[in-house]
Amino acid sequence: MRRGYMIVISMMVFLCLSPLVSLSGTEAPSSGDILNHVDDLFRGSSSRATMVMKVVTSHYTREMTLKAWSKGKDYSLVRILEPLKEKGTSTLKARTNIWNYLPKVKRVIKVPSSMMGGSWMGSHFTNDDLIKESRMADDYTHSITFRGIRDGQAVIDLTLIPRPDAAVVWGKVVATVRENDWTPVKIDYYGEKLGLERSLVFSDIRELDGRMLPASMRITPTDKQGEYTEVTYSEIEFDLNIEDSFFSLRTLENPGVL
Amino acid sequence: MKAFSLAWRNLWRNPRRTLITLTAMILSTAVLIVTHALMLGMMLQMEHSVTDITVGQVQVHHGLYLKERSLYDTIENWEKILSAARDSGITAAPRAFGFGLLSSGNKSAGVQFRGISPAAERRVSDMAANMFRGEFLSDRPAMGVVLGRKLFRTLDAVVGSTLVAVVQAADGSLGNELLHVEGILKGVGEAFDRSMVLMHAEDFATLFVFPGRFHEIALNSRGTMTPEQVAEAIAAAAAGNEVKTWRQLLPGVSDMLNSFGGSTAIFLFIFFLAAGLGVLNTLLMATFERIPEFGLLKAIGTSPWRILRDIAAEALVLGMLSSSIGGVIGAAISLYFQLYPIVLSGFAEGFNTSGIVISAQWSASLTLRGVIWPVIIMWLVSVLAALYPAAKAARLDPVRALNHV
Amino acid sequence: MKALITLEQVVKEYRDNGVPVRALDGIDLTIEPGEFTVVAGPSGSGKSTLLNLIGGLDQPTRGRVSVAGMDTSVLSNIELSRMRLYKIGFVFQAYNLIPVLTAYENAEYILMLQGTPAQKRRERIMSLLSTVGLKGLENRFPRELSGGQQQRVAIARAIASEPQLVLADEPTANVDSKTSASLLDLMMELNRDKGVTFLFSTHDPAVMERARRIIRLRDGRIVPDGDGPGDSPA
């Protein structure tokens, strides 16, 4: 589970496909079951969503309305609808490449590897977060480290430690899910020296496209007091018939596709 | 009998030895003057490359800017600092810096955009005169840029190319503009050459959505004040910001220049020492040959002081003669290298070391001091070298000296 | 008349390779102004040492040397140097002249040291060089003069400042007998005409014959008069 797992688009997919299946069986689930279950939920599916991204930093606060398409973990496209000044600015991700379309200059710019660590649209997500994805179970050893009631809620903590050969940036990841339906509650990311670096908190669980999902998630970097990026879904549709060819530079450059 | 005329006759008792010594001293003096002029020329050029091409003598920054390089750490009261500089006759150029991506076709590079005031920059630095191709920025904002010497190759750009700039603007948005290459700078320093993009401050403000904010003010008195005096002159107006001289900003370069000056001094010292030993040798031999003569002089009542004086006069004549001729030759050669710089072949466009640009044309810097000091020091060295043999001669016992064979 | 030179019980010892050598052994001597005296004796008898002591070039180990009323043993090196400059003229056997100076300049040298004005120097030296027989040779350098001519220049220099005493250490040793005789004539003439006191050493019997007073030295002692004929040159 890389930072990539955290990214907006992946999270959207993740959220879209969160299990409606009841998992409230009496037998104890294994940590592997939970991880595999979550990872498998991304595969071979697609989504289209509208959301609001609010970014609060010590220097600016901005709010964007975004429209996003995704297919599996390889393809996604995001367009800014608002503010008007940035309308049409878009990001295409196809496998490990990212392009931005800039309507003001009518140019597509491929994001070079040196800029992958840079912020995506001024948020606390990096471009890297958009593309780095892999199966969590491949990169981390995992175990259930807590199971019980916390803050009046029955939860399970999974602690993930990177395998020695895994190319991951985190020293440790602790994911908390609801015990009854494995809906994520919070994910804490620890650095290589095991200090908490950022937290992702899920909230506002409500019905979207007929499913109960956390409609809001907020990422908070530990070292920047008061800063956060919050994504809230207003609309989401699942399992659409979108061709791979939709995720092309032609679509990116065509502001008519909304 | 004047002491100098006596000295002159004595010197020509052994014309070959005197000529050899004279030639060596003339060459030493000339080489010293030329070396000094060349070293001074190089030091001036290096300092010039630091202070006049980009850095200026003094820079003002927000206290955290040099550490963090954050877009948001801008200078307080920059207008006040500019007007304080103007009042003191110091040229000042405000600069805004921001990182971003510049691309041309499928080539792109991470660059540092520098928003500058072209008019102010022309006064503070020689950047505008340091063009490799094209023109420097015009005074009106028109989304033109001037690229660093190596960056234009990275981007495959030429004068007239259109480039796309993408940056994270100050308001979090993705700032983007089409920019036109107006010129390419000559090499001014590795980091600068690789990543610098100069643009009009107002264009910078548009690109970064960051109007009226500056990260750096470069100050340069253009030779009328020392960096310390410049810093002092604007200290009050710049209160709350960090004010640093170029030597503080670039301690490595400063140390290098100092050590360069130091090694030049050591070199010159060794040269003088060698010249002094030459004089010493000549005079020791000349004195030794004349022991009975000194015995006679002492016997008939010549005072030790007079003997000392006569030998010192020989040295002084040697020193004056050789240093005057050597001075003229050295000054002439220095002047030649000042007018016709040495072209360092293989470095057609200059080269960098430790961030200093060394021009491919190495010119000497001939100063009055640079001629007078070697000449005077050569006199002193000659006289000093004469003191030992002279004192020996002055203290000779007349009876034993007379019978010395 | 007060004695010009007085020596009382003068002893001079040298150390030669650590061994003390007594060069003069109890010399008592008085020389009056205007005398023309020869110090004779074989080589090593102490002639030069005696002249050096009188000339203030050296100082006695014991005893007292008084020249023109000054006790040399109490004078500093600088005072001795001034005494030599102002009171004594010297003529040496060799190395008498400064090679880079002309005959005129060599003769003038002492006057120059004494600070005599140029005009006065010129008058005196030109006439003196004429007196010693070097008229017309004033601008020659020593190497352009014969041995006898060189010694004449040295004599001219020695008497140019009209010293009270002229000391000449074997002045005729390096010249032939004819030249030697003419030099002696010159010195006697100067002694007679100008009243210059001469004290000179020699081991040349021809020179001794013409001396008015002979002081014979042997092994650092003065040989009493009467023993004279037994002395022979070394």
Side-chain angles (χ1 to χ4, degrees), chain C residues 93 132-134 145-153 155 170-188 200 204 206-207 210:
Chain C
Q93 182 179 340
V132 300
L134 292 175
L145 298 171
S146 69
Q149 287 168 330
Q150 289 184 26
Q151 290 304 71
R152 281 165 191 270
V153 177
I155 291 166
E170 307 245 15
T172 59
N174 288 1
V175 294
D176 59 43
S177 56
K178 197 175 156 224
T179 309
S180 170
S182 77
L183 284 175
L184 206 58
D185 288 342
L186 173 62
M187 289 192 280
M188 292 182 77
F200 65 97
D204 180 354
V207 174
R210 303 187 55 180

Side-chain angles (χ1 to χ4, degrees), chain B residues 154-228:
Chain B
T154 311
L155 293 175
D156 251 350
V158 293
V159 173
S161 293
T162 297
L163 308 173
V164 183
V166 183
V167 304
Q168 181 172 342
D171 65 350
S173 67
L174 205 58
N176 59 91
E177 295 292 341
L178 287 181
L179 304 172
H180 312 286
V181 179
E182 291 191 357
I184 293 155
L185 282 175
K186 278 186 192 161
V188 287
E190 187 61 24
F192 203 100
D193 296 350
R194 275 193 194 291
S195 64
M196 218 49 75
V197 178
L198 302 178
M199 59 197 301
H200 197 289
E202 287 181 34
D203 291 339
F204 181 94
T206 308
L207 177 62
F208 280 88
V209 196
F210 208 46
R213 307 278 293 269
F214 292 99
H215 301 97
E216 177 173 295
I217 295 177
L219 299 147
N220 194 346
S221 68
R222 302 299 263 183
T224 61
M225 295 185 206
T226 64
E228 289 70 25

Side-chain angles (χ1 to χ4, degrees), chain B residues 69-352:
Chain B
R69 304 269 168 189
S70 159
L71 180 66
Y72 302 100
D73 291 336
T74 53
I75 299 172
E76 304 281 336
N77 302 323
W78 59 271
E79 284 125 322
K80 219 170 106 188
I81 299 170
L82 291 188
S83 77
R86 200 165 37 243
D87 293 346
S88 307
I90 301 163
T91 63
R95 297 162 178 175
F97 302 142
F99 294 97
L101 182 71
L102 189 61
S103 64
S104 163
N106 57 358
K107 306 258 179 163
S108 64
V111 299
Q112 189 187 28
F113 293 98
R114 296 191 143 207
I116 61 169
S117 155
E121 207 64 52
R122 277 194 186 87
R123 289 192 291 270
V124 168
S125 67
D126 292 342
M127 234 183 316
N130 217 33
M131 300 304 294
F132 171 62
R133 275 176 204 159
E135 300 287 320
F136 195 65
L137 298 171
S138 65
D139 289 348
R140 287 179 49 222
M143 288 298 168
V145 288
V146 167
L147 303 182
R149 182 71 180 78
K150 290 182 175 158
L151 181 57
F152 92 100
R153 288 225 176 102
T154 311
L155 293 175
D156 251 350
V158 293
V159 173
S161 293
T162 297
L163 308 173
V164 183
V166 183
V167 304
Q168 181 172 342
D171 65 350
S173 67
L174 205 58
N176 59 91
E177 295 292 341
L178 287 181
L179 304 172
H180 312 286
V181 179
E182 291 191 357
I184 293 155
L185 282 175
K186 278 186 192 161
V188 287
E190 187 61 24
F192 203 100
D193 296 350
R194 275 193 194 291
S195 64
M196 218 49 75
V197 178
L198 302 178
M199 59 197 301
H200 197 289
E202 287 181 34
D203 291 339
F204 181 94
T206 308
L207 177 62
F208 280 88
V209 196
F210 208 46
R213 307 278 293 269
F214 292 99
H215 301 97
E216 177 173 295
I217 295 177
L219 299 147
N220 194 346
S221 68
R222 302 299 263 183
T224 61
M225 295 185 206
T226 64
E228 289 70 25
Q229 288 171 328
V230 171
E232 180 65 33
I234 51 99
N241 295 294
E242 189 173 67
V243 178
K244 287 193 164 179
T245 63
W246 73 265
R247 284 185 184 276
Q248 292 168 322
L249 288 162
L250 301 168
V253 174
S254 176
D255 289 351
M256 196 181 108
L257 277 177
N258 288 344
S259 68
F260 190 67
S263 52
T264 304
I266 290 169
F267 174 77
L268 296 184
F269 175 76
I270 290 170
F271 232 88
F272 277 120
L273 201 67
L277 287 174
V279 179
L280 180 66
N281 177 56
T282 300
L283 290 173
L284 265 178
M285 284 168 68
T287 311
F288 189 75
E289 283 171 1
R290 281 149 58 195
I291 286 179
E293 197 177 313
F294 291 120
L296 168 73
L297 287 173
K298 285 203 74 171
I300 63 176
T302 311
S303 71
W305 295 117
R306 194 173 174 102
I307 291 172
L308 195 78
R309 191 196 73 179
D310 286 350
I311 296 176
E314 283 177 41
L316 197 59
V317 167
L318 261 185
M320 291 201 303
L321 193 65
S322 59
S323 61
S324 316
I325 299 172
V328 170
I329 295 174
I333 297 174
S334 302
L335 191 65
Y336 177 83
F337 285 134
Q338 186 165 332
L339 299 175
Y340 308 98
I342 300 169
V343 176
L344 303 171
S345 55
F347 299 104
E349 290 159 14
F351 56 99
N352 290 295

Side-chain angles (χ1 to χ4, degrees), chain A residues 193-222:
Chain A
K193 288 178 180 161
L194 301 186
L196 182 63
E197 296 206 349
R198 63 183 190 180
S199 295
L200 187 63
V201 175
F202 301 86
S203 60
D204 190 17
I205 296 169
R206 58 185 157 99
E207 194 187 308
L208 285 166
D209 197 26
R211 306 175 186 192
M212 293 300 289
L213 295 171
S216 180
M217 55 184 176
R218 173 187 285 211
I219 188 160
T220 310
T222 313

